[in-house]
Amino acid sequence: MTMPRHISSLAALALLLCHPAPAAASTDARDDAVVVERDEQAFTVQADGSYQVRIERNYRIVQARAIDKASQESIEFDGKTETVELLAAYTEKPDGRRIAVSPEQVRFQQRTLDASTFQDRRVMIVVYPKVAVGDLLSSTYVLRRLTPPLPGHFEDYTASGAYHRPSLHVSYDLPENMPLYFDAIGFRGTRSPGAPGRTIHRWELSGDGAVLTESDAISWYETHERLLVSTTRDGAALGAAYDALARPRSAPTAKSRALADQLCAKTGAQRACALALADWVRTHIRTVTTTLGPAGVAPRAADEVLATGVGDAKDHVALLESLLGARAIDSTPALISSYYVLPGVASLNVFDYVITFIPGLDLYVDSSATNIAAGYLPAVQLGRPVLLTHAGRMARTPAAQVQTRTTETEWKLGPDGGAEFGETVTAGGMYAELIRSEVRNTRTPDLERAGERLLNVIGYKGGGALDPGNLEAGGSYVYKYAGKVEQLAALPGPSGMPTLTTLNAGIRAKWNTLTAEKERTLSFLCQAEDFDEQARFILPEGVRVFAMPKPLELHDPFIDYSASYTQDGTTVLVKRSLHVHPGDILCSAQDHQRMRPLLARIGRDLSSQIIVRSAP
């Protein structure tokens, strides 16, 4: 499990250019094309946290569509601290014949090339021969971790996974004086003596039910069958262990002092200085993708990060702490959780990413989120539990932050029903740098066809371009669209004209998100956002308004919505606002049920029309 650093480029472009469509209804995420008939994992752990695990796994191909994907198995390991040895692998036919995997059918590959400087993440790929429906694919291998991520620390995470597993057993053989803390859902455990001086903990999956997935819902590993174990007592101990490795590498140096003094020379308050330092790290240290894990917990020293100009998340945190410390601004690494609701064990499988917290400013910063300005967090990091390593205490990132979007659109209707349009969008808060960054990285031909793409998404033909505006300034970001649509109203004659208050994203996109599921059983993300939109429809001579929607004002504990429709001569002005403020990052299934009637009324208003007709 990995905490994403920021919204992906594709997602951000969708935010910029599209109306996201509702997701599929909740369903069982498990793939019934494969069944894992046997999964045995036996760990032997040493006092220093090193271990070996023997894994025996058999899975059967049930449907033909699984053959291409399941006929090869990928076993990931860290090339610097782990070894993997394949003991046996074969395809077993329904009549009992076995076809062994040959040495030529076992390959080793680098997982992520740009991350290999700091983590040698490798994959052993086992390609099974002559696979058909009904075959059983079997592998037995031993993985050895020679160096633990934290000295004396052992942890493991097991989940029922993407396929049905009617048989899953995990055992941990440890020194008898080595405690093992656990958090289990759907697993039964026993404890018994092992060899002299050792204890064995055995766990068995007791259920293999459906894994429900719903749009924007919390991840299935938070609610479904899972087993987390760790030898670390609590968060304070985990934070102290991380701090022992990271703090010496984050101390101010002569180079970091000189740079910090230069960057803060023209800033007054501490906050302005801290934001300037964080933005410099964000924009000058290239981010590579690694996670907290084997050989990946200790950051590189601040001066080394400065010298190379590249780093992963923990390198960013170390350098920023060094720069802040040079200006007497206290900060601490904040190990951020991939869970919204914390399990009962302290583990790097739980706190698997790191950002910066500045206590004196009550400010969280992720300087490795390259398209989010300092002072804001990527939306995926809001409302998350964090472990502040210097103090060894728990905290939580803010549940909400400023995320605003204001649009002003003008439609100039022609006598044939076509229309010229212009739209000005002002993105504020977290959205500003996110959208500015994506526009900055968009090719000129795509900017020139942006209007055409937007119109196609909402079902109209036409064209237009995006004016990117000022891509270098900070603060709110203003960009514009201009173009033509072939037919906005079917003139001459009576026609319905859509009350479009924006071409992209905005209120309609947020409504799509909130209504993506008809029914919910899981808690889901409902971020606080503010949208204000207005559209001016200028009618040609001889075209009159026959009917307009009625004004609307709706209120819910989490949602405020208003819409108004006014006419002044040949101009119709439509105004809409949507303010979503749930108070927490998660809404419950009961919250969704309560919001449904209000959302239905909003949906009808968004689909409303102005009825126009040519004068007789």
Side-chain angles (χ1 to χ4, degrees):
M1 295 174 294
T2 303
M3 172 69 64
R5 292 190 314 282
H6 49 78
I7 298 176
S8 69
S9 297
L10 289 176
L13 284 174
L15 172 70
L16 174 63
L17 300 174
C18 302
H19 293 271
S26 60
T27 184
D28 185 356
R30 294 235 171 94
D31 189 345
D32 57 4
V34 171
V35 173
V36 182
E37 296 187 355
R38 183 187 184 198
D39 194 339
E40 305 279 343
Q41 305 174 31
F43 288 79
T44 303
V45 183
Q46 305 306 321
D48 64 354
S50 63
Y51 66 82
Q52 79 168 30
V53 54
R54 178 187 173 98
I55 297 176
E56 300 180 38
R57 187 171 291 133
N58 299 341
Y59 57 96
R60 191 173 299 279
I61 305 297
V62 179
Q63 297 180 23
R65 63 181 175 83
I67 292 176
D68 287 344
K69 181 179 179 181
S71 60
Q72 66 179 39
E73 184 176 5
S74 297
I75 300 164
E76 187 175 323
F77 65 103
D78 186 287
K80 293 178 181 177
T81 64
E82 295 176 340
T83 64
V84 63
E85 178 186 2
L86 184 66
L87 302 181
Y90 56 84
T91 301
E92 182 177 292
K93 295 296 182 179
D95 61 6
R97 288 181 298 116
R98 292 182 177 180
I99 306 172
V101 171
S102 67
E104 294 76 19
Q105 292 168 318
V106 180
R107 303 195 303 268
F108 291 85
Q109 295 181 357
Q110 204 76 35
R111 190 192 70 167
T112 308
L113 292 177
D114 67 350
S116 60
T117 304
F118 315 118
Q119 281 196 5
D120 187 20
R121 299 306 296 170
R122 304 192 69 198
V123 179
M124 180 176 71
I125 299 175
V126 180
V127 181
Y128 291 93
K130 298 184 179 181
V131 177
V133 172
D135 288 354
L136 186 74
L137 309 183
S138 177
S139 66
T140 303
Y141 62 93
V142 173
L143 185 147
R144 297 177 177 88
R145 175 171 288 179
L146 308 177
T147 306
L150 295 169
H153 172 86
F154 168 78
E155 62 179 44
D156 185 46
Y157 166 78
T158 301
S160 52
Y163 303 123
H164 286 286
R165 277 173 165 77
S167 176
L168 171 57
H169 296 84
V170 188
S171 67
Y172 305 99
D173 183 334
L174 297 90
E176 62 182 0
N177 60 352
M178 197 173 194
L180 190 67
Y181 306 96
F182 64 89
D183 183 287
I185 298 178
F187 280 79
R188 293 191 299 262
T190 61
R191 177 179 174 179
S192 61
R198 300 187 66 85
T199 300
I200 299 177
H201 303 257
R202 293 183 174 87
W203 294 89
E204 178 183 2
L205 181 66
S206 58
D208 190 35
V211 171
L212 298 180
T213 57
E214 297 170 356
S215 175
D216 287 319
I218 58 175
S219 297
W220 63 268
Y221 59 77
E222 296 202 43
T223 57
H224 293 81
E225 294 90 348
R226 64 148 194 255
L227 173 63
L228 280 158
V229 300
S230 172
T231 59
T232 300
R233 180 181 67 257
D234 53 23
L238 184 68
Y242 180 89
D243 230 38
L245 295 176
R247 196 189 285 244
R249 301 164 182 263
S250 308
T253 66
K255 292 181 180 179
S256 66
R257 291 183 193 280
L259 178 59
D261 289 345
Q262 174 190 337
L263 294 173
C264 291
K266 297 181 180 179
T267 62
Q270 266 198 346
R271 182 180 179 88
C273 174
L275 293 178
L277 296 175
D279 262 334
W280 188 91
V281 175
R282 176 178 69 88
T283 56
H284 287 76
I285 303 300
R286 182 170 63 87
T287 301
V288 295
T289 305
T290 62
T291 62
L292 293 173
V297 174
R300 295 178 303 145
D303 279 357
E304 184 181 347
V305 181
L306 271 177
T308 60
V310 64
D312 60 12
K314 57 192 175 296
D315 295 335
H316 276 250
V317 170
L319 174 57
L320 182 55
E321 184 175 352
S322 179
L323 292 169
L324 290 166
R327 299 293 296 185
I329 301 174
D330 183 45
S331 70
T332 176
L335 298 179
I336 186 166
S337 175
S338 51
Y339 292 72
Y340 285 101
V341 179
L342 280 178
V345 296
S347 164
L348 294 177
N349 280 302
V350 175
F351 297 99
D352 62 354
Y353 196 70
V354 62
I355 60 176
T356 298
F357 179 60
I358 305 173
L361 303 174
D362 193 24
L363 178 65
Y364 288 91
V365 173
D366 183 359
S367 59
S368 64
T370 56
N371 58 359
I372 303 293
Y376 304 100
L377 288 177
V380 72
Q381 293 178 1
L382 296 176
R384 297 276 187 176
V386 291
L387 173 57
L388 307 179
T389 66
H390 286 354
R393 68 177 179 87
M394 296 300 307
R396 189 176 288 269
T397 59
Q401 63 187 353
V402 177
Q403 299 181 116
T404 64
R405 188 178 181 280
T406 302
T407 62
E408 295 185 8
T409 308
E410 182 176 280
W411 300 91
K412 189 174 182 180
L413 189 67
D416 61 350
E420 296 178 354
F421 65 84
E423 178 166 300
T424 300
V425 183
T426 303
M430 186 272 285
Y431 284 147
E433 184 60 22
L434 173 65
I435 299 178
R436 183 187 284 116
S437 176
E438 295 304 326
V439 173
R440 189 183 294 123
N441 294 318
T442 300
R443 301 182 314 143
T444 299
D446 292 331
L447 296 178
E448 293 172 347
R449 295 189 60 192
E452 178 185 353
R453 292 180 60 191
L454 292 172
L455 291 170
N456 287 341
V457 168
I458 59 178
Y460 292 89
K461 292 183 178 181
L466 185 151
D467 175 358
N470 189 341
L471 292 172
E472 302 308 320
S476 296
Y477 174 50
V478 179
Y479 57 101
K480 299 179 180 181
Y481 295 99
K484 296 181 179 180
V485 60
E486 292 182 9
Q487 188 176 64
L488 190 66
L491 295 177
S495 172
M497 184 171 61
T499 56
L500 290 171
T501 48
T502 183
L503 286 171
N504 72 99
I507 293 175
R508 167 66 73 170
K510 185 66 174 181
W511 181 86
N512 281 343
T513 298
L514 292 172
T515 59
E517 302 287 353
K518 291 183 178 180
E519 301 284 348
R520 286 188 178 273
T521 59
L522 303 173
S523 296
F524 63 101
L525 300 181
C526 49
Q527 299 172 27
E529 294 176 280
D530 293 304
F531 303 94
D532 291 284
E533 302 172 358
Q534 73 171 34
R536 183 174 283 104
F537 296 83
I538 302 174
L539 306 181
E541 184 178 350
V543 174
R544 298 178 182 175
V545 174
F546 181 68
M548 291 193 303
K550 295 180 179 180
L552 184 64
E553 189 163 334
L554 301 171
H555 300 284
D556 171 89
F558 295 167
I559 297 174
D560 296 301
Y561 178 81
S562 66
S564 65
Y565 306 85
T566 57
Q567 182 179 3
D568 183 5
T570 59
T571 299
V572 175
L573 182 64
V574 180
K575 292 185 177 181
R576 291 188 174 115
S577 68
L578 175 66
H579 304 286
V580 180
H581 291 278
D584 196 357
I585 194 64
L586 296 180
C587 290
S588 67
Q590 292 73 28
D591 293 330
H592 178 262
Q593 182 69 20
R594 189 198 66 247
M595 287 188 280
R596 283 180 57 191
L598 178 141
L599 292 171
R601 295 183 66 185
I602 293 175
R604 290 193 293 271
D605 181 71
L606 293 174
S607 300
S608 64
Q609 294 183 324
I610 301 167
I611 307 302
V612 297
R613 64 179 179 182
S614 300

